[in-house]
């Protein structure tokens, strides 16, 4: 387990600033994605962002005991990386902890 209690895969790059995340979203390959943690009140959840063509999909999943993703909570679609970044800023509390895979 990583220091922040999130499982980390060996081929992930950690991103800790929205500026870097925005840059990575613009160049996201169709076989890549972004994983990060978010929260609202006491609830924590995972957020996954993928891209297919010009469409970005953001899915939120409940975080279970031990940090494993549970049921899908919501799915959103966006037409630009800027729109994804703005939505992520509303979901992330505290310092950004994201991984691009």
């Amino acid at each position: 387990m990583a220091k922040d209690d999130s499982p980390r895969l060996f081929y992930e790059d950690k991103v800790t600033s929205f500026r870097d995340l925005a840059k990575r979203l613009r160049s996201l390959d169709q076989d890549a994605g972004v994983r990060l943690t978010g929260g609202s009140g006491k609830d924590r959840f995972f957020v996954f962002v993928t891209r297919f063509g010009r469409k970005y999909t953001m899915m939120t999943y409940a975080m279970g005991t031990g940090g494993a993703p549970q049921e899908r909570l919501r799915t959103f679609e966006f037409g630009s990386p800027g729109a994804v970044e703005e939505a992520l800023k509303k979901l992330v509390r505290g310092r950004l902890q994201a991984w691009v895979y």
Side-chain angles (χ1 to χ4, degrees):
M1 281 278 185
K3 188 175 184 178
D4 61 7
D5 295 331
S6 295
R8 192 173 298 163
L9 301 173
F10 69 92
Y11 50 86
E12 293 181 323
D13 290 329
K14 188 172 184 179
V15 177
T16 57
S17 75
F18 275 104
R19 184 178 181 177
D20 191 21
L21 181 60
K23 183 175 147 181
R24 302 294 292 268
L25 285 170
R26 283 180 182 76
S27 63
L28 196 65
D29 291 335
Q30 292 189 104
D31 62 344
V34 176
R35 174 180 62 88
L36 57 101
T37 57
S40 176
K42 292 183 179 181
D43 296 329
R44 288 185 41 170
F45 46 83
F46 283 110
V47 181
F48 295 92
V49 179
T50 58
R51 177 181 173 198
F52 185 75
R54 294 179 183 224
K55 181 172 66 173
Y56 291 81
T57 302
M58 182 174 76
M59 297 171 284
T60 59
Y61 287 82
M63 185 181 296
T65 307
Q70 299 298 308
E71 73 273 4
R72 186 181 315 166
L73 302 173
R74 283 174 255 156
T75 301
F76 304 95
E77 291 184 353
F78 302 95
S80 72
V84 176
E85 182 184 4
E86 289 305 312
L88 290 174
K89 284 181 179 179
K90 295 175 185 175
L91 294 177
V92 174
R93 61 179 181 199
R95 187 173 188 99
L96 176 68
Q97 298 288 313
W99 294 266
V100 178
Y101 55 90

